[in-house]
């Protein structure tokens, strides 16, 4: 096995173990045993489990973000862009369930990696312009689009986390129902929403 092949093998083994046991629950000894190598081989390639974890997280984040960006950029029309972004996330979860389990967990203490919340904020920033344009077209306040982008992306992401383990519904059904709530909800929004209060209550 070449050095490059060994590195990829260790990344694959590490991805499986980190997804199953978490960062804290995984040891270098377990990684080495699963890869059928000695501990020094792991240290030689990554400097320890921290280095291996950082490489895996970085790779998974880039795969997810590139998929979402590509989907959004290639779609035409606001609704299609939201649909494309939703499908890109669900496609990633379906193809890389271990990777999604890793990046959707809280980063370990002392980690310099990007958090899941940061990833979602990055995606939300790409959705802001889509929403701002639609808000302007519908007589809503475009300056509110950043907040609504966070809401929309959060709804999609956390539904994806639920779907990761609850596979009773197929991907298309999950995506279409997310779009049903997101898009139909957006189409009926009020320009100046207010909370409903019962008479006599603050």
């Amino acid at each position: 096995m070449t050095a490059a092949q060994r590195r990829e093998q260790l990344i694959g083994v590490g991805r499986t173990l980190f997804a199953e046991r978490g960062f804290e629950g995984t040891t270098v000894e377990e990684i080495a045993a699963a890869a059928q190598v000695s501990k020094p081989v792991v240290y030689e390639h990554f400097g320890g489990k921290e280095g291996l974890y950082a490489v895996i997280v970085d790779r998974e984040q880039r795969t997810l973000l590139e998929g979402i960006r590509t989907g959004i950029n290639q779609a035409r029309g606001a609704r299609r862009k939201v649909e494309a972004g939703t499908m890109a996330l669900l496609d990633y979860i379906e193809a890389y369930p271990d990777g999604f389990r890793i990046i959707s967990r809280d980063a370990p203490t002392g980690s310099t990696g990007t958090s899941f919340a940061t990833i979602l904020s990055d995606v939300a920033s790409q959705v802001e312009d889509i929403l701002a344009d639609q808000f302007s077209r519908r007589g809503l306040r475009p300056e509110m689009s950043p907040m609504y982008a966070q809401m929309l992306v959060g709804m999609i992401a956390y539904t994806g986390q639920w779907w990761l383990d609850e596979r009773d519904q197929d991907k298309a059904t999950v995506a279409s129902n997310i779009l049903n709530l997101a898009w139909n909800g957006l189409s009926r929004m009020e320009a100046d929403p207010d909370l409903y209060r019962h008479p006599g209550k603050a």
Side-chain angles (χ1 to χ4, degrees):
M1 188 175 291
T2 66
Q5 290 171 331
R6 179 67 72 191
R7 179 180 174 86
E8 288 303 312
Q9 181 209 21
L10 290 170
I11 289 173
V13 167
R15 182 188 295 110
T16 300
L17 291 175
F18 288 136
E20 179 183 334
R21 307 178 186 182
F23 177 81
E24 299 297 340
T26 303
T27 66
V28 173
E29 288 84 357
E30 290 168 335
I31 294 168
Q36 297 183 328
V37 298
S38 62
K39 285 171 56 178
V41 174
V42 179
Y43 287 108
E44 176 186 348
H45 283 276
F46 301 101
K49 74 170 184 176
E50 294 83 1
L52 175 58
Y53 182 84
V55 168
I56 292 170
V57 169
D58 180 68
R59 179 176 292 190
E60 295 301 324
Q61 289 172 348
R62 283 189 285 108
T63 300
L64 173 57
L65 290 174
E66 286 171 8
I68 293 174
R69 286 169 182 157
T70 298
I72 290 174
N73 291 336
Q74 290 180 348
R76 302 188 65 179
R79 190 186 190 284
R80 291 291 186 187
K81 286 180 179 292
V82 174
E83 179 178 323
T86 300
M87 285 301 296
L89 175 62
L90 296 180
D91 284 342
Y92 172 80
I93 293 172
E94 184 175 59
Y96 307 102
D98 285 348
F100 187 71
R101 283 191 175 93
I102 291 170
I103 64 174
S104 62
R105 288 195 182 112
D106 291 334
T109 304
S111 171
T112 57
T114 305
S115 69
F116 189 50
T118 303
I119 296 173
L120 298 186
S121 291
D122 190 344
V123 176
S125 68
Q126 299 174 61
V127 177
E128 286 178 19
D129 291 341
I130 301 172
L131 295 185
D133 178 65
Q134 287 299 304
F135 282 17
S136 296
R137 291 171 182 265
R138 297 171 186 269
L140 303 173
R141 297 164 60 193
E143 67 271 18
M144 301 300 289
S145 63
M147 181 174 69
Y148 280 94
Q150 294 287 338
M151 295 178 194
L152 178 61
V153 171
M155 178 181 71
I156 296 169
Y158 288 109
T159 303
Q161 285 185 310
W162 166 82
W163 184 65
L164 180 65
D165 297 312
E166 300 289 339
R167 293 299 185 92
D168 292 339
Q169 305 293 337
D170 62 72
K171 180 173 60 178
T173 299
V174 174
S176 63
N177 280 274
I178 289 174
L179 265 291
N180 184 40
L181 175 60
W183 193 256
N184 290 328
L186 288 170
S187 68
R188 291 170 174 80
M189 287 199 313
E190 300 172 343
D192 294 298
D194 196 6
L195 297 176
Y196 174 78
R197 292 185 174 86
H198 292 287
K201 292 187 178 181

